[in-house]
Amino acid sequence: MEQGAYEIISSLCSDVVIRVTEGHFATQHSHITHYVDMTSVKSRLTSARAAAKLIAGRFSGVPADTIVCLDRMKMVGAFLAEELSAAGANMGQNINVFSPETSGDKMILRDNFVPFVRGRRVLILTDSVTTGLSVRSVMEGIGYYGGMAVGCAAIFGAEFECNIPVEKIFDISSIESYSSYSLQDCPLCKNGVKVDAVVNSYGYSKIV
């Protein structure tokens, strides 16, 4: 863990933990004041299962045929499919779980994956949603391939406009003074504050 990082534990389940580091970080779409590390949720069996159970509780009444897993969330997605199936959300049918290819923000499906989306009700699962740009782009891609997005679930995120339900385990109020800015409007950059690291779903790369 980075020096100065601290943990935030879900009030609903102690197995779901994120690690937060304050600084100046650049993402694909924005600059942020805190890096949120969700590695344990994505990679540890007990944490992934617990996160899936929390998410399933928010979508128990939403029929889903397919879960599209972004940002290395496939382990959580598999447990989520199991939870939703047990709850009868998909009328007892199989739930497809896969991670699509992306180019920039565009979702690309090879022919063998198209049947998992065409004519299907699709739940989007991701680690973080802040600007909403990636989610809206994936929704657009689901529509291109003949599917219907029915919801989005994330471990951490902010509020943004979207015409499907968006549920998060942690929101930005969980992190004191968390802010996200466009590159053009970033006050840290304007004040000459150096970017500490470039971050994505795999982690961060320090700028030294």
Side-chain angles (χ1 to χ4, degrees), residues 117-139:
V117 171
R118 181 176 293 149
R120 306 286 187 175
R121 297 161 298 188
V122 182
L123 179 63
I124 301 166
L125 177 63
T126 186
D127 60 354
S128 176
V129 288
T130 51
T131 65
L133 292 174
S134 294
V135 171
R136 286 192 287 266
S137 181
V138 171
M139 288 174 60

Side-chain angles (χ1 to χ4, degrees), residues 64-160:
D65 306 301
T66 295
I67 300 172
V68 169
C69 303
L70 310 177
D71 301 321
R72 298 170 46 242
M73 288 287 287
K74 200 169 180 180
M75 179 186 281
V76 179
F79 284 123
L80 178 58
E82 187 174 54
E83 291 288 336
L84 292 176
S85 182
N90 66 330
M91 307 285 289
Q93 302 297 313
N94 267 331
I95 298 179
N96 309 301
V97 180
F98 75 98
S99 296
E101 292 180 62
T102 56
S103 177
D105 276 340
K106 298 300 181 185
M107 184 178 76
I108 301 170
L109 296 186
R110 303 298 175 179
D111 292 352
N112 49 312
F113 282 111
V114 171
F116 288 176
V117 171
R118 181 176 293 149
R120 306 286 187 175
R121 297 161 298 188
V122 182
L123 179 63
I124 301 166
L125 177 63
T126 186
D127 60 354
S128 176
V129 288
T130 51
T131 65
L133 292 174
S134 294
V135 171
R136 286 192 287 266
S137 181
V138 171
M139 288 174 60
E140 184 178 293
I142 290 168
Y144 287 159
Y145 290 103
M148 179 178 65
V150 296
C152 174
I155 305 303
F156 170 79
E159 297 297 324
F160 59 91

Side-chain angles (χ1 to χ4, degrees), residues 2 56 68-69 85-86 97 130 159-161 167 178-179 188 190 208:
E2 280 291 287
V68 169
C69 303
S85 182
V97 180
T130 51
E159 297 297 324
F160 59 91
E161 290 188 9
E167 296 288 349
Y178 179 96
S179 295
L188 298 173
K190 290 179 179 179
V208 294

